[in-house]
Amino acid sequence: MSIYPPVRDEMVRLLSVPRLSTYTDECDGNMKRALELYQWNLDVSGTLFTSIHYFEVALRNSIDSQLGKTFGTADSPWFDQDSIGLTDSTRRNIASAKRAVTKAGREIVPGRIVAELSLGFWWSLLADGYNRTLWAPALKQAFSNARRETLHAEIDEIRKLRNRIAHHEPLIHYDLNAEYTRILGTAERIAPRLAWWIDATSSLSTVLARRPESLRSTTSANT
């Protein structure tokens, strides 16, 4: 990538030297290569975020559907049922989602509440505390051959990756093939065709192959 020096200097100022330090360290202070690596990090983050998008939406809809079948009624969605033993923290998150919908001037309907709730919320419903109240009577039926503890741990890692991408943090030291394999494997627990779709629409392998060569990796290869 050709970078006009005045543009390069302006971008360094706007992005900030501290923010670029991870990339400049990787490139032994070569700012041109650091900016190329920064751009690649954006590209790979976007690619992974697309896969996580499909996973997250499918996860929340699967959990919502199963809880609705088990606990919902014609007059009241599952998350308004007092009998299922939701924790105070869970109920606060639901109340916050309802406030967000109201603040946006929209009618409170279940689908809008579901869309407002974070990946962390859905992950929390698979925690140990809900083993008897949600998992055994309902949620284990939403996943294929899944152990709750493993599922909870794997989704937590996907959640952390999602948040790192959302906060524009570096991924250059992550094993991204392993992260992607985790996304696919966990998606398959929801539905095999979901995993197929994520893989069919992903360009991760192409983006990984385009990673710029840093001076550090060049030095390591020559030693």
Side-chain angles (χ1 to χ4, degrees):
M1 181 173 69
S2 178
I3 305 175
Y4 183 49
V7 173
R8 177 200 61 201
D9 295 343
E10 183 71 355
M11 290 310 301
V12 170
R13 182 184 71 81
L14 292 170
L15 293 172
S16 84
V17 171
R19 179 166 189 83
L20 289 169
S21 62
T22 299
Y23 305 93
T24 52
D25 288 349
E26 185 69 14
C27 297
D28 288 345
N30 186 310
M31 188 57 71
K32 178 180 181 296
R33 291 199 179 186
L35 287 171
E36 291 172 348
L37 189 58
Y38 188 92
Q39 178 60 49
W40 176 85
N41 190 78
L42 293 177
D43 293 342
V44 79
S45 294
T47 298
L48 283 167
F49 206 75
T50 298
S51 299
I52 293 171
H53 162 86
Y54 285 123
F55 171 81
E56 180 175 349
V57 173
L59 176 72
R60 76 189 187 198
N61 287 342
S62 297
I63 290 178
D64 173 61
S65 176
Q66 192 60 53
L67 292 177
K69 290 176 185 176
T70 307
F71 301 114
T73 67
D75 300 321
S76 182
W78 64 267
F79 49 76
D80 283 340
Q81 304 296 328
D82 293 330
S83 60
I84 63 175
L86 298 179
T87 66
D88 289 344
S89 175
T90 299
R91 293 199 178 279
R92 282 195 298 271
N93 285 328
I94 293 166
S96 178
K98 290 180 177 180
R99 286 194 299 272
V101 171
T102 301
K103 187 175 180 180
R106 307 174 103 184
E107 180 185 358
I108 292 180
V109 295
R112 288 178 181 148
I113 303 305
V114 168
E116 282 290 334
L117 293 164
S118 70
L119 178 56
F121 172 86
W122 303 106
W123 163 73
S124 74
L125 298 184
L126 300 168
D128 292 346
Y130 285 129
N131 185 47
R132 293 184 179 180
T133 55
L134 299 185
W135 177 260
L139 291 182
K140 68 179 180 180
Q141 301 172 56
F143 302 95
S144 174
N145 299 317
R147 290 176 56 86
R148 182 193 55 76
E149 300 92 335
T150 302
L151 193 64
H152 187 249
E154 294 292 85
I155 294 173
D156 190 29
E157 293 304 315
I158 295 170
R159 180 186 65 86
K160 291 174 183 175
L161 179 65
R162 180 204 186 282
N163 290 346
R164 190 166 185 84
I165 293 170
H167 289 93
H168 316 299
E169 295 297 328
L171 301 180
I172 62 174
H173 295 139
Y174 276 60
D175 183 344
L176 298 181
N177 278 313
E179 297 289 345
Y180 183 63
T181 298
R182 176 183 290 114
I183 294 168
L184 291 181
T186 312
E188 192 164 4
R189 299 302 183 198
I190 300 171
R193 287 177 179 171
L194 171 63
W196 180 91
W197 180 267
I198 290 172
D199 200 35
T201 57
S202 174
S203 58
L204 183 65
S205 60
T206 301
V207 177
L208 289 178
R210 294 203 312 260
R211 174 171 173 152
E213 187 176 29
S214 67
L215 289 177
R216 177 170 294 181
S217 64
T218 302
T219 301
S220 299
N222 291 332
T223 57

